[in-house]
């Protein structure tokens, strides 16, 4: 008769399986904790902003010390150039100038959530005008899921970037690798990667 599991090696096998189970459970707990942490960061209570705003570029504002990203559009980057009439022009700087004019009287912004770059996604109005919508109608931003009709209208009228040739802002950023892993800390890199996993297949978020 077998008096103990040691005689046939059962104890060693059980210990190995136990250690594997502990590691598996621990890894699962860590992943769950990370997902919850990222979810909390991206679903902080929505805020409202009202008053003066500073245009950082053609689709980003600073209000009350917070960075706001106009939801639903993507404007040329500050260093981005476009062409019209065979000549280059700084469409990125013109986009920021247009946004400055639109928000000069003051704006009211309602935020929804924080994106992977720690900016509030916001819908802003200057009086009766939707600021993001106006930027698309001026031809100084492309549609990113909210203003398809307005983008088509601007294209037909040949205004702004539609007056010539331009590279989609997202493609322009990717081709120049504006952001590298060394630009951010380990936690921020992890948070962005986790966000990318959760948003994969939904078109992602423009910078």
């Amino acid at each position: 008769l077998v008096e103990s599991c040691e005689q046939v090696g059962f104890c060693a096998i059980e210990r190995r399986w136990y250690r594997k189970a502990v590691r598996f459970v621990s890894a699962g707990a860590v992943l769950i904790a990370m997902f919850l942490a990222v979810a909390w960061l991206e679903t902080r209570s929505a805020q409202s902003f009202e008053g003066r705003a500073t245009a950082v570029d053609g689709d980003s504002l600073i209000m009350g010390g917070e960075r706001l990203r106009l939801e639903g559009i993507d404007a040329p980057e500050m260093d981005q150039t476009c062409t019209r009439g065979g000549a280059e022009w700084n469409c990125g700087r013109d986009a920021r100038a247009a946004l400055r004019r639109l928000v000069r009287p003051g704006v009211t912004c309602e935020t929804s959530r924080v994106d992977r770059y720690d900016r509030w996604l916001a819908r802003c109005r200057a009086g009766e005008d939707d600021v993001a919508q106006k930027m698309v109608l001026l031809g100084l931003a492309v549609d990113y899921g909210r203003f398809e009709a307005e983008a088509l209208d601007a294209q037909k009228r040949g205004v702004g970037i539609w007056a010539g040739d331009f590279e989609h802002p997202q493609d322009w950023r990717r081709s120049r690798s504006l952001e590298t892993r060394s630009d951010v800390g380990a936690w921020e890199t992890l948070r962005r990667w986790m966000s990318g996993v959760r948003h994969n297949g939904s078109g992602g978020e423009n910078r």
Side-chain angles (χ1 to χ4, degrees):
L1 293 175
V2 178
E3 296 181 355
S4 71
C5 61
E6 291 287 351
Q7 291 178 280
V8 291
F10 285 171
C11 285
I13 295 173
E14 288 178 356
R15 283 196 295 269
R16 285 198 297 272
W17 278 105
Y18 176 77
R19 287 195 294 267
K20 288 181 180 180
V22 169
R23 287 197 295 269
F24 179 80
V25 172
S26 298
V30 170
L31 285 173
I32 291 172
M34 288 192 298
F35 272 110
L36 290 174
V38 171
W40 177 82
L41 284 168
E42 293 198 347
T43 56
R44 288 181 288 176
S45 298
Q47 296 188 39
S48 298
F49 296 88
E50 186 173 359
R52 298 187 62 83
T54 300
V56 179
D57 51 32
D59 51 31
S60 303
L61 301 170
I62 292 180
M63 293 186 73
E66 296 279 359
R67 294 191 304 159
L68 278 61
R69 179 68 164 75
L70 295 178
E71 190 174 8
I73 67 171
D74 196 8
E77 296 295 327
M78 286 296 294
D79 294 331
Q80 185 173 348
T81 58
C82 304
T83 60
R84 61 185 176 192
E88 283 192 353
W89 62 291
N90 198 313
C91 48
R93 294 188 182 278
D94 278 11
R96 182 178 66 174
L99 183 56
R100 280 178 172 172
R101 290 191 295 271
L102 287 172
V103 303
R104 187 172 295 144
V107 292
T108 300
C109 298
E110 299 291 335
T111 65
S112 55
R113 60 188 176 87
V114 176
D115 71 4
R116 70 184 70 184
Y117 302 106
D118 202 33
R119 304 167 303 186
W120 285 104
L121 295 179
R123 299 188 179 193
C124 301
R125 303 192 71 86
E128 296 299 317
D129 294 326
D130 183 302
V131 176
Q133 181 184 46
K134 290 288 290 184
M135 288 296 294
V136 175
L137 286 169
L138 290 170
L140 292 171
V142 296
D143 169 53
Y144 207 77
R146 287 186 62 206
F147 305 107
E148 182 178 358
E150 290 82 351
L152 288 173
D153 177 64
Q155 184 176 4
K156 289 178 181 177
R157 289 183 290 114
V159 295
I161 57 180
W162 301 106
D165 297 320
F166 69 96
E167 189 174 6
H168 194 289
Q170 189 175 55
D171 295 335
W172 189 90
R173 291 189 297 270
R174 286 174 177 169
S175 67
R176 286 154 183 79
S177 301
L178 292 187
E179 185 180 76
T180 63
R181 291 183 183 274
S182 61
D183 293 330
V184 295
W187 167 247
E188 180 62 11
T189 298
L190 174 63
R191 188 171 75 86
R192 293 180 187 183
W193 176 79
M194 297 283 283
S195 296
V197 170
R198 294 194 304 111
H199 292 292
N200 185 37
S202 61
E205 291 166 345
N206 48 322
R207 187 173 180 190

